[in-house]
Amino acid sequence: MRGVRYTTAGHFLLTARSTPLAPRLRAELGGGLLTPAGADHPWHGVHFTSHWGSREPLAFTAVAPQLVAEFHGDTAVDRGRWRHPVNVHRLRIDLTPDDVPSYGTEGSSSDPDGRQPAGH
């Protein structure tokens, strides 16, 4: 799972990549919560790797940014992005991506010691 936030200009900012999801989260996501994104998705055609230093492309399907997930990350943050994989704690079906403050707004700074919501 990739974590993203919108910037104040409305662009996606990759904020985190997760460890493999727990079976209960995989089952939740497999229950029809994800909608494949169309060709207008800003990351359509983008290639990701599975880990730092890898050149092997990761199979990636862009989805519509409709979900919010809460995750735990460590303190290694660089320019608003967690350097190490984060652990997804739960889906926040009570929130929408519009409820997550845009990156760069007051109160939106990432506190790596706490649980962080990130749109997906």
Side-chain angles (χ1 to χ4, degrees):
M1 177 181 257
R2 302 286 183 197
V4 299
R5 288 177 74 181
Y6 287 104
T7 65
T8 53
H11 300 176
F12 276 143
L13 173 69
L14 178 67
T15 57
R17 58 190 164 85
S18 75
T19 58
L21 299 178
R24 69 174 173 77
L25 285 170
R26 285 196 308 267
E28 233 180 301
L29 289 170
L33 292 176
L34 298 177
T35 304
D40 61 340
H41 190 282
W43 292 351
H44 183 76
V46 172
H47 298 282
F48 292 100
T49 58
S50 61
H51 58 277
W52 299 115
S54 171
R55 294 181 189 259
E56 185 69 28
L58 183 66
F60 169 75
T61 301
V63 296
Q66 302 167 322
L67 296 177
V68 175
E70 189 175 285
F71 64 84
H72 301 260
D74 64 20
T75 59
V77 178
D78 184 20
R79 292 181 281 172
R81 185 166 127 182
W82 273 261
R83 293 181 63 200
H84 305 122
V86 300
N87 295 308
V88 177
H89 178 64
R90 65 180 172 146
L91 297 178
R92 294 292 308 264
I93 57 172
D94 58 319
L95 298 174
T96 70
D98 291 335
D99 295 322
V100 179
S102 297
Y103 183 80
T105 59
E106 186 175 335
S108 71
S109 63
S110 300
D111 177 8
D113 292 326
R115 295 177 181 165
Q116 302 296 316
H120 177 77

